[in-house]
Amino acid sequence: MKKYRIALNLFLSMAFALPSLAQVSIAPTSVFMDANGIASLYITNPSETAQEISVSFLFGYPGNDENGSLIMVYGDSVRAGQVGMGDRLRSFPRTFILAPFQQQTVRLQVRPDRSLPAGMQFTRIKVTSSAQTPDIEESATEGVSTQVNFRFDQVIAAFYKNGQTSTGLEIGNVETIQSEGKLNVIPEFTTTGNSPFLGSVSASLKNAAQQTVATQQQTVALYFSGKRKVEITLPENLPAGDYTVELQYETKRADIPSSDLVQATPITKTLAVRIQ
């Protein structure tokens, strides 16, 4: 009588996998559809194992908690209906096997809806990868073996410019909190125009002589009004006293071509702060 070994596959999902851990690489890291609603995504398998790939979509955007820390927001059906792409966005292919050291081009296409108001439409692309499951092999030894497979979810943003687009920011009250060699600068902001503000913010801490003693620069993706924290590392032995913080927001960032970004005039906010 033949005896079989049964393989059990345990899938451990790792949402928003770090690139260093992911089983496949994706380029670009943000997708911008062209005027015809078409774009390409390139998925590469750098490993020696074939990967099962699936491409899906979910509506989400960066938000913030009460402390101004970044959080992802999903399940917002109201905004999904206003600015999401919904089932108008398709991928070709949607599922496939990616052989070792091979690359697959995925074509993305969004069906334009001229009835929607002008502005930036957006969603998230989820690329799920897992090592291809081998067939259960016959074995002369009876028993059960366990095979652990990791399933990685990588999520990136996708955008489509529908008609004329504009963006901007209005900076309101700014809270500052000093702790353990850090100065947390937490501005309240209001987005203007009909598109998210995608760019960068630079924060400069200046002394009474207007000399810069600390700086911090980071990318920002501000979709809806809220708060977004900027953390400045303070130099060791920084004298206590009165300082000035200058925040400058610009619609430019290294990982996205300027032609894809909705441009705005730089926004500057200056405030006084006392370092203890």
Side-chain angles (χ1 to χ4, degrees), residues 187-199:
E188 295 180 355
F189 65 88
T190 301
T191 54
T192 63
N194 57 15
S195 305
F197 186 96
L198 306 178

Side-chain angles (χ1 to χ4, degrees), residues 148-174:
V148 177
N149 263 359
F150 289 94
R151 184 176 65 202
F152 291 84
D153 292 339
Q154 297 187 73
V155 181
I156 62 174
F159 302 93
Y160 173 63
K161 296 177 182 178
N162 180 42
Q164 294 296 316
T165 53
S166 62
T167 192
L169 289 178
E170 294 177 357
I171 306 299
N173 294 328
V174 181

Side-chain angles (χ1 to χ4, degrees), residues 3 8 30 34 49 56 67 92 97 104 111 114 126 139 150-151 167 188 246 257 263 274:
K3 299 179 181 180
L8 302 179
S30 296
D34 66 16
T49 304
S56 58
N67 299 314
F92 308 92
I97 302 297
Q104 172 70 46
R111 186 177 71 253
R114 303 306 179 189
K126 183 170 74 170
S139 173
F150 289 94
R151 184 176 65 202
T167 192
E188 295 180 355
E246 182 180 277
Q263 295 297 314
R274 176 172 287 273

Side-chain angles (χ1 to χ4, degrees), residues 78-123:
V78 174
R79 283 176 169 152
Q82 295 171 339
V83 292
M85 299 185 205
D87 58 7
R88 295 182 295 115
L89 180 59
R90 303 289 180 88
S91 68
F92 308 92
R94 192 164 53 86
T95 61
F96 53 92
I97 302 297
L98 188 55
F101 310 113
Q102 297 299 305
Q103 183 181 85
Q104 172 70 46
T105 300
V106 176
R107 302 298 182 187
L108 302 169
Q109 183 172 18
V110 61
R111 186 177 71 253
D113 185 347
R114 303 306 179 189
S115 68
L116 295 174
M120 184 77 86
Q121 299 169 3
F122 51 86
T123 192

